[in-house]
Amino acid sequence: MAERILTGIKPTGQLTLGNYIAVLKNLKKTNERGECFIFIADLHALTLPIDPAVLRQNSIDLAAFYLAAGLDPNKSAMFLQSSVSAHAELNAIMQNYLYMGELSRMTQFKDKSAKLKENAIGLGLFAYPVLMACDIVLYDANIIPVGEDQVQHIELTRDLVNRFNNRYGNILTMPKAELRKVGKRIMSLSDPSVKMSKSDPKGDVFLKDEPAVIRKKIMSAVTDMGCEVKYDPENKPGISNLIQIYCAMKDIEIPEAEKLFEGYRYGDFKKAVADAVIEELEPFQNRYKEIIANKSYEAVLKQGAEKASKIANETLKRIQKAVGLLQLD
Ligand code: ATP
Ligand code: MG
């Protein structure tokens, strides 16, 4: 089966190096592999309180970042989730095929709801994986590039596909998570026991940070006891995180980096990591600034929504028919 690739990011905050490594770094290559659907998950961004002006600005930024990463509008459809109404329509159907017990086991829900007052946890935060499953199945996507934290949601989507297809026939396409070999979970630079996250920034490298700020953040990243640059996430979580970042930037594997940094002091190693990140992000930031200035993302988003809607509406019809919703045309 040909590759249908789908990936999205929520415009919940400033994009981080974790998001870059999971999705943006490979976007150009992803474009060359098959048909791509790249979206701004703005409906998902409403699952936690967010200021409307901030959400709008984050959405623009994200569109510009996708383009700066090398998204080719002729090969990919780039669109806002909210401008393809089939996502919300399918959600109304699919919420009946995932169960509350399953949803309450999702670690992301547990983590994010733990930070809220018990009487202010939105239903959307709980039901988030249902909408995410809809995002995926609407495009018959089979490859979903994500970071490790999203694997549990993709597994749930796979359960849904199985459940739905067992009941109605072969209606939905089975998706698969695709993880980077190195850099599946980039950790906070100030606390390597927690994931770098844009909605809860703590030791994050932001894609908009000036090179001098990036350097400062990496140079002051938490390291560990000892002095060897060795990959050992359990005993050396700080250094292991920096090794992952270096490998992801250079597209190399961990043993190669360990060999490269044999005999290095932590300070010199950190300098090399900072250089690698800046070397990668500086030209990317310049492209982003150009795109923001010329607003080329606007036309791309409109064209993307048209292409995505056409495909999503066809899938929606197929599903509506399968479950017994009367079709009058
Ligand atoms: P939020 O805090 O709003 O959940 P986030 O930084 O987790 O923000 P998402 O929009 O949830 O970002 O995820 C976008 C993509 O980035 C997903 O594929 C996710 O798995 C990936 N991702 C997020 N954080 C990291 C990280 N620290 N390391 C690797 N991948 C990540
Ligand atoms: Mg997240």
Side-chain angles (χ1 to χ4, degrees), residues 10 108 112 149-150 195:
K10 286 180 284 176
Q108 181 167 308
K112 295 202 163 163
D149 59 304
Q150 286 295 344
K195 178 183 97 71

Side-chain angles (χ1 to χ4, degrees), residues 9-299:
I9 299 181
K10 286 180 284 176
T12 41
Q14 278 208 47
L15 260 66
T16 74
L17 190 59
N19 305 135
Y20 183 83
I21 290 172
V23 176
L24 300 177
K25 165 100 173 117
N26 268 344
L27 204 54
K28 210 165 171 202
K29 275 195 209 146
T30 309
N31 250 245
E32 279 148 24
R33 283 168 53 186
E35 210 175 349
C36 297
F37 295 84
I38 312 290
F39 72 105
I40 294 164
D42 53 355
L43 292 174
H44 287 297
L46 293 173
T47 54
L48 289 177
I50 186 163
D51 180 85
V54 172
L55 174 55
R56 272 191 288 272
Q57 188 55 50
N58 288 347
S59 300
I60 291 173
D61 272 353
L62 180 49
F65 276 133
Y66 278 140
L67 290 172
L71 180 143
D72 177 351
N74 296 317
K75 288 189 184 147
S76 292
M78 174 176 93
F79 58 97
L80 290 153
Q81 184 186 29
S82 62
S83 48
V84 180
S85 58
H87 290 248
E89 288 180 68
L90 184 59
N91 189 55
I93 297 176
M94 287 305 174
Q95 62 188 351
N96 301 300
Y97 300 89
L98 278 172
Y99 304 140
M100 290 175 56
E102 292 170 319
L103 294 170
S104 61
R105 283 195 291 276
M106 294 296 110
T107 22
Q108 181 167 308
F109 173 69
K110 288 190 211 160
D111 290 350
K112 295 202 163 163
S113 61
K115 292 177 190 135
L116 299 168
K117 288 209 186 85
E118 193 153 354
N119 60 3
I121 300 169
L123 179 59
L125 184 65
F126 182 70
Y128 166 104
V130 180
L131 182 56
M132 178 165 161
C134 296
D135 301 337
I136 295 171
V137 300
L138 273 176
Y139 301 94
D140 289 314
N142 48 9
I143 309 272
I144 322 293
V146 282
E148 196 177 45
D149 59 304
Q150 286 295 344
V151 170
Q152 200 183 25
H153 293 157
I154 310 275
E155 287 302 317
L156 195 63
T157 305
R158 290 171 61 86
D159 292 344
L160 171 79
V161 168
N162 266 326
R163 187 172 297 154
F164 196 92
N165 285 351
N166 279 335
R167 186 146 163 203
Y168 298 108
N170 205 9
I171 306 289
L172 307 178
T173 300
M174 186 60 80
K176 193 165 177 274
E178 186 174 84
L179 299 174
R180 288 185 62 102
K181 244 188 187 161
V182 187
K184 317 189 238 291
R185 182 185 288 265
I186 301 300
M187 310 309 273
S188 151
L189 295 184
S190 58
D191 177 0
S193 70
V194 301
K195 178 183 97 71
M196 201 181 267
S197 278
K198 63 178 139 52
S199 69
D200 186 17
K202 193 179 180 199
D204 287 19
V205 172
F206 296 117
L207 301 187
K208 278 186 171 180
D209 281 343
E210 293 290 331
V213 175
I214 297 177
R215 184 171 301 281
K216 192 159 170 243
K217 285 183 175 176
I218 294 177
M219 292 310 291
S220 51
V222 167
T223 47
D224 319 286
M225 302 280 282
C227 54
E228 249 187 317
V229 179
K230 270 246 152 268
Y231 186 75
D232 178 356
E234 214 160 280
N235 301 307
K236 284 174 166 275
I239 288 294
S240 303
N241 191 35
L242 291 172
I243 295 179
Q244 288 216 52
I245 292 174
Y246 185 86
C247 289
M249 291 297 108
K250 296 283 186 189
D251 264 325
I252 61 170
E253 293 192 24
I254 287 165
E256 199 178 331
E258 283 179 324
K259 208 157 157 231
L260 198 66
F261 294 114
E262 228 174 70
Y264 268 60
R265 288 167 188 271
Y266 282 173
D268 294 333
F269 165 61
K270 280 174 160 180
K271 187 173 172 300
V273 177
D275 287 344
V277 173
I278 292 168
E279 193 183 301
E280 171 94 15
L281 290 190
E282 214 173 11
F284 169 74
Q285 293 178 335
N286 291 337
R287 289 194 295 275
Y288 157 82
K289 284 179 197 154
E290 246 172 64
I291 294 159
I292 286 289
N294 66 26
K295 298 197 173 173
S296 53
Y297 54 83
E298 283 181 358

